[in-house]
């Protein structure tokens, strides 16, 4: 089974390697970092496609920035913004070229996913790209953060599809995917905005845990364990315990 924490950490490490690399990194080299995870061909292709989406802006060298005059810096920023815009536009064009499915077709794909059909993971991942984009646009106020938030949403989508594949049972797959995507986006938005210690961020974490408890209780027919809440919310154990304590005190 895919270890989600290891996978996420590896994705972030590879993203940084790609960011600082002076030369393009081949598909084989990218996938070599995941060779110990026993990904199937569908998962390998999804991982590679993830790295083809726009990545974080490179950090400017602070010393150089102090020496450059304002006009030069403005030109460099403009060029970087134009390049990122072009890459993002290519991503959008490719996304809109993917096939769309009617509700009946999506329901069949959800059923195939729960039955363990790994091909459904890739098909649903493609089918949900527009939904991820729409969700990001609703949640993101700073347009400059949109690409980063879409990345986080796509990663959460992939992890949740992998988790649900072959799980069986009577699960509302659409609700599970949307909850996972929104939770990842909200967490990323809070981190980008520096709101982790603000009251609004605390309220957001409380809401996330309450929603997680409600969803997991409905899915499993019992109160979720601490481990299940940790996996679902992607919080650290200390964060989750603090939020559970807040909820207990409120009750």
């Amino acid at each position: 089974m895919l270890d989600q924490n290891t996978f996420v950490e590896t994705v972030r490490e590879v993203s940084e390697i790609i960011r600082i690399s002076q030369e393009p990194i081949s598909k084989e080299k990218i996938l070599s970092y995941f060779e110990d995870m026993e990904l199937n061909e569908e998962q390998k292709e999804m991982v590679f496609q993830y790295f083809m989406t726009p990545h974080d802006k490179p950090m400017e060298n602070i010393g150089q920035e102090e020496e450059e005059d304002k006009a030069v810096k403005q030109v460099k920023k403009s060029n970087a913004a134009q390049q990122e815009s072009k890459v993002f536009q290519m991503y959008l064009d490719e996304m809109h070229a993917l096939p769309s499915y009617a509700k009946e077709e999506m329901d069949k794909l959800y059923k195939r996913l729960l039955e363990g059909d790994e091909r459904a993971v890739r098909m649903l991942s493609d089918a949900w790209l527009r939904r991820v984009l729409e969700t990001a646009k609703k949640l993101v106020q700073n347009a400059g953060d949109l690409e980063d938030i879409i990345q986080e949403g796509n990663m959460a989508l992939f992890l949740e599809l992998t988790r649900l594949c072959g799980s069986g049972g009577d699960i509302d797959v659409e609700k599970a995917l949307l909850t996972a995507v929104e939770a990842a986006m909200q967490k990323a938005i809070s981190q980008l905005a520096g709101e982790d210690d603000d009251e609004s961020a605390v309220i957001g974490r409380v809401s996330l845990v309450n929603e997680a408890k409600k969803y997991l209780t409905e899915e499993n027919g019992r109160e979720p364990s601490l481990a299940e809440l940790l996996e679902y919310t992607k919080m650290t154990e200390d964060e989750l315990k603090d939020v559970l304590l807040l909820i207990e005190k409120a009750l």
Side-chain angles (χ1 to χ4, degrees):
M1 180 178 291
L2 183 66
D3 185 297
Q4 295 192 10
N5 291 331
T6 302
F7 176 79
V8 171
E9 183 60 30
T10 304
V11 167
R12 299 197 189 285
E13 290 175 356
V14 176
S15 295
E16 180 64 13
I17 292 170
I18 292 173
R19 185 183 73 78
I20 64 177
S21 176
Q22 304 252 334
E23 300 290 336
I25 299 180
S26 67
K27 179 178 181 179
E28 291 73 20
K29 181 63 175 178
I30 289 174
L31 294 179
S32 69
Y33 294 101
F34 299 87
E35 60 185 5
D36 295 334
M37 299 184 192
E38 299 181 353
L39 300 179
N40 59 40
E41 291 305 315
E42 293 287 336
Q43 291 171 330
K44 288 179 182 178
E45 185 61 27
M46 289 177 66
V47 167
F48 178 67
Q49 290 299 324
Y50 171 79
F51 288 113
M52 293 302 97
T53 61
H55 286 268
D56 294 341
K57 300 178 180 66
M59 294 177 64
E60 295 290 340
N61 181 286
I62 296 175
Q64 290 180 348
E65 203 171 83
E66 291 175 349
E67 297 173 1
E68 293 170 346
D69 61 44
K70 186 176 180 180
V72 173
K73 287 192 289 183
Q74 288 295 333
V75 171
K76 290 179 70 175
K77 289 180 180 179
S78 176
N79 288 340
Q82 288 177 9
Q83 183 61 31
E84 290 235 341
S85 177
K86 289 178 181 178
V87 174
F88 189 49
Q89 187 58 52
M90 288 174 60
Y91 167 72
L92 294 178
D93 292 342
E94 291 178 2
M95 179 191 68
H96 289 300
L98 293 171
S100 58
Y101 300 95
K103 185 181 184 305
E104 294 77 12
E105 294 174 307
M106 291 294 288
D107 289 339
K108 290 179 181 178
L109 286 174
Y110 293 148
K111 183 178 179 182
R112 285 170 55 184
L113 178 75
L114 296 176
E115 291 173 349
D117 187 346
E118 294 179 346
R119 290 173 297 178
V121 174
R122 175 63 186 277
M123 296 174 72
L124 284 169
S125 178
D126 288 345
W128 263 75
L129 289 181
R130 293 184 182 86
R131 188 77 173 269
V132 171
L133 174 62
E134 292 168 0
T135 303
K137 286 182 175 179
K138 290 178 182 178
L139 296 176
V140 176
Q141 293 183 345
N142 183 0
D145 295 335
L146 184 61
E147 296 171 28
D148 293 328
I149 302 306
I150 289 174
Q151 276 194 342
E152 294 298 324
N154 284 337
M155 185 190 298
L157 175 66
F158 172 76
L159 292 173
E160 189 67 4
L161 284 169
T162 303
R163 185 183 75 84
L164 292 174
C165 186
S167 61
D170 185 19
I171 299 174
D172 188 337
V173 176
E174 183 173 2
K175 181 178 179 181
L177 294 177
L178 185 59
T179 301
V181 168
E182 287 185 340
M185 287 182 174
Q186 291 284 12
K187 184 175 182 180
I189 290 170
S190 294
Q191 291 173 340
L192 288 171
E195 296 175 348
D196 276 356
D197 296 320
D198 292 347
E199 181 180 352
S200 58
V202 173
I203 294 173
R205 288 198 291 270
V206 169
S207 298
L208 173 59
V209 172
N210 278 330
E211 286 297 318
K213 291 177 67 176
K214 180 180 177 181
Y215 173 75
L216 291 172
T217 299
E218 292 176 353
E219 182 179 357
N220 301 326
R222 57 174 173 76
E223 283 284 322
S225 66
L226 181 66
E228 289 171 332
L229 286 173
L230 284 170
E231 180 181 358
Y232 193 90
T233 62
K234 305 299 186 293
M235 293 181 178
T236 65
E237 186 170 347
D238 288 339
E239 284 178 329
L240 180 58
K241 286 181 177 179
D242 287 343
V243 173
L244 290 173
L245 182 60
L246 283 174
I247 294 174
E248 182 180 349
K249 287 181 177 180
L251 294 175

